[in-house]
Amino acid sequence: MKTQRKRVLRAVTALVVFAAVSVPVFAEGGPPGGPRIVARQTAQAQNRLSLAEQYLSRLSAKSKRTRTIAGSAGLAVGALFVGGGLAMMSEDNEADWLGFGEFFGAMAVITGGITVAGGGLALAIPSPAERAYKKIRPIEDPALREAACADALSDLSRKGRKTRMIMGGLTCALGVAGVLSSSGGEDSPDGAVCSAAFAGGVALYWFLVKSPAERTYRAYLERGGVKPVPDLVLGIGPRGGFRAGLSLDF
């Protein structure tokens, strides 16, 4: 019993430490100079679209394409679930005296309805990048338009990072809760270890993989000549130690 508790405790500790210390720490204030310096540097460009607007328009188009594909897929899959569920519920099968067909058919209809609703919302509601670009497009002054695009990129990047941190933290909390709830039962501790490993992996994905808005803003800054602030990366070293370092993409 003591061995089981020790293994579960190690799993919880590994989940919390592995996810928490691997989070890259970004400067809240943004890169040196801020987005408006890059905007002023590129406002005099002769291109039809300024530098910031080019990146914002690409991000808007990519966001629209992604939600269109996701929404269409949701409608199609949801319709299949609804149709299959209705077919299962309408079958007059005397052998199914327990009513499994009707039960699973009803579950399929409910799941399909939720999926269809989600797909419809994805198609109907523009993404934040689309709304930001639509709001900026009527601006006629090149300098103001460039500054507004740069500010929009910065704001979208900041919101994308905040969302990732929240989702990563929630995943860690759910993983720890799952491990603690399983520790009081008679189940094998291997299940708790697998749950901790899975939750830790999902949390690391949220913590380490930048959102499209963050990647777009970083590319815009590099293209504009402003070097991004290095990332402080914390991690687990050999023999249970910790390591810290700076990471900068070139």
Side-chain angles (χ1 to χ4, degrees), residues 37-228:
I37 289 183
V38 183
R40 287 197 297 268
Q41 292 175 350
T42 57
Q44 303 301 325
Q46 299 299 321
N47 298 334
R48 180 174 175 271
L49 293 179
S50 63
L51 183 60
E53 188 171 358
Q54 289 182 32
Y55 281 96
L56 183 59
S57 64
R58 293 172 190 170
L59 179 62
S60 174
K62 183 177 180 180
S63 299
K64 182 177 181 180
R65 183 167 58 252
T66 300
R67 72 176 180 85
T68 300
I69 294 175
S72 301
L75 290 178
V77 173
L80 289 176
F81 270 87
V82 171
L86 292 176
M88 294 174 64
M89 295 174 64
S90 62
E91 288 182 357
D92 187 13
N93 191 353
E94 297 181 356
D96 186 19
W97 57 276
L98 292 177
F100 284 129
E102 184 176 354
F103 172 77
F104 287 112
M107 293 298 298
V109 170
I110 295 174
T111 303
I114 295 174
T115 305
V116 169
L121 289 176
L123 291 175
I125 301 177
S127 65
E130 293 177 78
R131 294 195 298 268
Y133 188 44
K134 182 179 180 180
K135 184 178 179 180
I136 293 172
R137 288 179 65 180
I139 300 177
E140 297 181 357
D141 184 85
L144 293 178
R145 184 168 176 150
E146 174 72 355
C149 290
D151 288 340
L153 288 173
S154 177
D155 184 60
L156 292 170
S157 174
R158 188 163 51 248
K159 290 180 179 178
R161 178 185 180 276
K162 182 179 180 180
T163 300
R164 288 194 301 110
M165 296 300 109
I166 293 175
M167 294 301 298
L170 289 177
T171 304
C172 285
L174 292 175
V176 172
V179 172
L180 292 177
S181 63
S182 64
S183 62
E186 299 180 354
D187 297 337
S188 172
D190 293 338
V193 175
C194 292
S195 299
F198 176 77
V202 176
L204 280 180
Y205 172 83
W206 285 112
F207 284 139
L208 300 179
V209 179
K210 293 181 175 62
S211 64
E214 292 176 273
R215 294 194 297 269
T216 301
Y217 183 53
R218 191 182 187 95
Y220 159 69
L221 292 176
E222 293 176 348
R223 178 75 178 275
V226 175
K227 295 183 179 298

